[in-house]
Each structure stands twice: as structure tokens, then as C-alpha cells.
Amino acid sequence: MSWLSDAVLYQVYPQSFADSDGDGIGDLAGIVERLDYLEWLGVDAVWLSPCFASEFGDAGYDVTDYLSIAPRYGTNDDAVALVEAARSRGIRVMLDLVPGHTSHRHPWFQESANTPGDHRYIWSDRIASPMREWIPNQGRRGGFYRANFYAIQPALNFGYARSNEAEPWRQPVDAEGPRANRAALQEIMRYWFDRGVSGFRVDMAYSLVKDDPGQAETAKIWGRIREWIDRAYPDRALLAEWGNPKISIPAGFHSDFFLHFDGPALRSLWDNNAGSLGPWSDGQPCYFDPDGKGSMHAFLAEWQTAEAAADGRGLIALPTSNHDFSRLVCGPRTRDMAVPAFAFQLTWPSLPVIYYGDEIGMRYVPGLPDKEGSQLDTQARQGSRTPMQWNEGPNAGFSTAPAEDLYLPIDPDPGRPTVAGSQADASSLLHHVRSLIRLRKQTPALGADAPVRVFHRDYPFVYTRNDSHLVVVNGRQDPAIAPVAGVDGALPLAVHGVEVTDGAIRADGFSYGIFELPRL
């Protein structure tokens, strides 16, 4: 997928990005109004968190109609208008697909809950084990249904990989219900592809077939879908929320994410044990830690495993953060400290994904109330979902609604960054990010496909791309020196506090440097 391998992806949380009609909730028309900014920033594709019809018990991940835009965001025509307006600026639009479950308000579930013998979902006549996954049915059918995440999200039946006579709900993957769901999944994708959508980020892509050792049967489903896409829509892309590239990419996904809850790869980079903390939090220091207590070793070990598994068939997506995870600017980390993190993300051989607002240094806002299922046990996800900060006007330019009607409160910090203020400040984080994106586009050696070699794993982190470009990143506040030979005469392309001298590289605190190496 050539366009994806060259892309910088930008995640938009629709309800928090831009409100065009003054109701306090972001919408598709608001995104259209801000496309000039995204074009200026230089991103190639925008991924929208779920915008389908929903009861919003889980912020849109509880879908009631896959073929309709939620009225709060607009209409299907508004979605097409967004796709066309974005494309005219060289930006593709990707949607978020939730294939493994629906809302309990979805018509499919309402029918199944009242119709014995309907197997679009997973049903048991008795409490099954583990009990927390099985929810009492309120419909005429009675019994219990299996949930996929929250209780309001019944799992669609894609079958079980293994049967058990004592558990008759374990239907095989070729049973009638699973076949109907596979067909419906393809029809949903076709509907939006035909309206110009360039692909999907697939939520919980691993969650289809149950009791699936090695997720082999789930992988087969996605493999068949990829074969169909390659035939019918060869320029469309699939990104997996899977967190296991050795399964997802061979299965057919064009890219898979490093995820904070699936191993140390992402956590060991950004997670400073503040903000949105879940059961996956391990308390370990990260590399981009002001005191320099972290290490790149865990990340590199995970990266090498993922890269070998991908084997050139797909990309590893590296996000700054997302709607479930703390922003880069969180706890003790300020936006100045985030500068080298972006330099790393935008020069590493991955698919870089920027979460809205991270590029200006929006912070994780603690202490907010639950909103649409954002409080997940101890994990306060709402702190990463506050409205985009556009300017110094009312509600930071996000909405003309009264402050009490906003989807979530604006960051109350009087020093909060804005797009307008950052654009006016040539030294801002935003200008660093924009320049790094532009440099990545202009320099194939810094893209996703060029090889990487690591020369120094600690502070500063030093590596080359394609043996032609040198990258230096120092994620701590103290200066650092790396004894690296053979870099004399390096031509600076983008330098922020780094000096290359004979046999050594000196890096100031929170610095980065990108250099072109002399040809031998």
C-alpha cells in the first residue's frame, strides 16, 4: 500500500475536534472547516474515531447502525462531503470500524434477544463461565448473552475455534450466524468504500472468533477480507487495533498498532505513570523521562520482533497517544519535553499517528467526570478527550455553546497552548512537528521503508536511516554524549540542541538532530 507507507496519520476524536453548529459537540462539518489546518500541518490521512449511530454508552464504540452517521455529527451526505473536501487537499479519510460487537440497542440484537434460534450473537440458557462475560437477557428469549467489552456491547457471533459438548453455545465458525456476520461485515465495508472512505482502523480486531488458540481462525477471516479488498478496492487500507503484528499483518492488515496495554513497546517510550492509568500500568520509567531513568531496550526488543513478523508486508503504527491513553504532555512532562519525542516518532521506520492536539502540546487533564463510558475502572480516559484548543476565544475556539454544554470542559490551565498561538510562535512544538513532517516527506530515507541501524541505545539515542541520515534524540533534561565514529562532516537538516563533532555527538537536554551523512 504505497500511499500508507508514505503517510502521516492524524486521529480525530469527532466530538472534541470542532463544533460547527454550537451544540457543544464536535461534528463532521466542523472537521471540514478545519481541513486547511490539517493540510498546513502536512498530514496525509485522518482517522475518525467512531461516528456511526450509537447510544454513546461507550463514546460511539457501541454501534446501533453501521450504515448511518450519528445525528450529533451530521448525515451520510456530510460524511461524503468531508471525504471529498479532504481529498481535494490531498488528505484521505479513514473511519473506525467496530466489528466484534454492537450496542444492545442495535436492531440485530433486539431481534436476537427476542427470537429463539437467532444466532447473530452468542447465547447461553444458563450462566456460563466466566460469569462476568455473560449478561442476563431482558428480552423474551431469556438466557444470557456474551458481552465483548461493556455489558451494553453484546459480542457478535463469529463462532468458536473449539467445540465443547458441555457448552452448546460454541458454534463452529461455519455456522449460520457466523456466516451472516461475515457477510454483513463485508457489506458495511463496501458501503463506505463506495462513498470514498480510504480504509478503516478496526477496533478490537482480534476479538471475533472465541476460544481461538493463536487467533488463527480470526486471522483467516481478515485474510479473506484482505483478498476481497485487494481485488475490489486495491487502494484501501486496514489498520488493526490488535497489538500483535506477528498475527495481524500476515492475516492481511496493512498496519498494526503498538498499544499501551499489549506489552512494553509503547509504554516504555511515553508512559510516565501519570494520567490514564489502567491495569497494564507497570510503574516502570519511560525513555522520554525528564530524569533519564528509562531505556530504549524494551522498545527495541519489541520492535525487532514486530519488524521480523511484518517482513515487509505491513507497517507498525506508532501513536503519540490515543483516546484511551495519556497524552504525551501528561503529569510532569511539558510540551517542551515532547519535542524530541516527535522527532523520534517522525524519523523511525513506522507509520506515525498523531493524536489530535498532541502537536500543539495539549495536556492530559486530570479530575474530569466520566463521560460516555470514559471512566474504565481506574482508567480515566476522559482526560485525553478534551476539546481541541484552536485560539484564545471563548471555549478555545472549539464551540460557541455555553461552557456548561460542551462535550467535555476546556482545559482550565491559563497557559494552555492553542493552534493560533502556536502558529504565531516559530519556536513552538507545532512548528517543530510541522517541520519534521515536511522533512520526512522530502527525505525517503526517513520514511517507513528505509532500513534503520542503532548506534547508541541510551541517552542520547542515535541511529541511522538508510545509512545516509543520522538521527539523534535525547529524551532527558540532562545533556548527553555518545561516542559515535564516522559522522564527521554530517550536514544538519533539522537541529535542536545537538552538535556532531569528531568522534562524538553532544546533545542538550530534550534535544534532537537530523543530519545527512557524507557519501563515502
Side-chain angles (χ1 to χ4, degrees), residues 258-270 282 298-299 301-302:
F258 271 156
L259 300 169
H260 54 282
F261 50 78
D262 277 323
L266 187 65
R267 294 199 303 269
S268 69
L269 290 178
W270 321 134
D282 56 17
F299 171 81
E302 292 279 322

Side-chain angles (χ1 to χ4, degrees), residues 283-473:
Q284 298 300 309
C286 61
Y287 180 80
F288 291 92
D289 169 74
D291 294 329
K293 297 178 180 178
S295 168
M296 278 289 187
H297 289 256
F299 171 81
L300 290 173
E302 292 279 322
W303 175 264
Q304 289 162 0
T305 298
E307 187 179 42
D311 194 25
R313 292 172 292 179
L315 304 169
I316 313 304
L318 183 59
T320 56
S321 60
N322 61 33
H323 56 287
D324 288 333
F325 188 52
S326 303
R327 289 187 175 276
L328 276 182
V329 177
C330 178
R333 186 184 296 127
T334 66
R335 55 184 182 271
D336 289 339
M337 299 176 189
V339 169
F342 271 103
F344 167 73
Q345 187 216 25
L346 290 166
T347 58
W348 192 253
S350 65
L351 171 62
V353 185
I354 299 172
Y355 186 53
Y356 83 98
D358 278 358
E359 75 277 12
I360 62 171
M362 281 179 60
R363 69 174 181 131
Y364 174 91
V365 181
L368 298 180
D370 181 28
K371 182 69 175 184
E372 297 182 350
S374 58
Q375 186 71 40
L376 178 60
D377 297 324
T378 60
Q379 189 179 354
R381 302 181 292 177
Q382 57 271 36
S384 293
R385 302 178 179 183
T386 55
M388 183 68 170
Q389 295 154 199
W390 293 104
N391 54 48
E392 295 298 334
N395 299 323
F398 163 70
S399 172
T400 59
E404 61 270 18
D405 292 342
L406 299 184
Y407 178 76
L408 280 168
I410 298 291
D411 181 359
D413 184 352
R416 65 182 178 235
T418 65
V419 169
S422 297
Q423 286 180 319
D425 179 4
S427 66
S428 68
L429 172 62
L430 176 61
H431 277 286
H432 281 285
V433 174
R434 183 174 184 250
S435 295
L436 288 163
I437 291 174
R438 186 168 62 250
L439 182 60
R440 182 184 178 96
K441 290 177 179 293
Q442 295 171 345
T443 313
L446 298 178
D449 296 328
V452 62
R453 283 204 299 161
V454 175
F455 285 86
H456 196 257
R457 291 172 174 248
D458 297 310
Y459 297 93
F461 186 48
V462 180
Y463 51 98
T464 60
R465 302 297 318 280
N466 204 38
D467 290 330
S468 62
H469 288 73
L470 175 75
V471 181
V472 181
V473 175

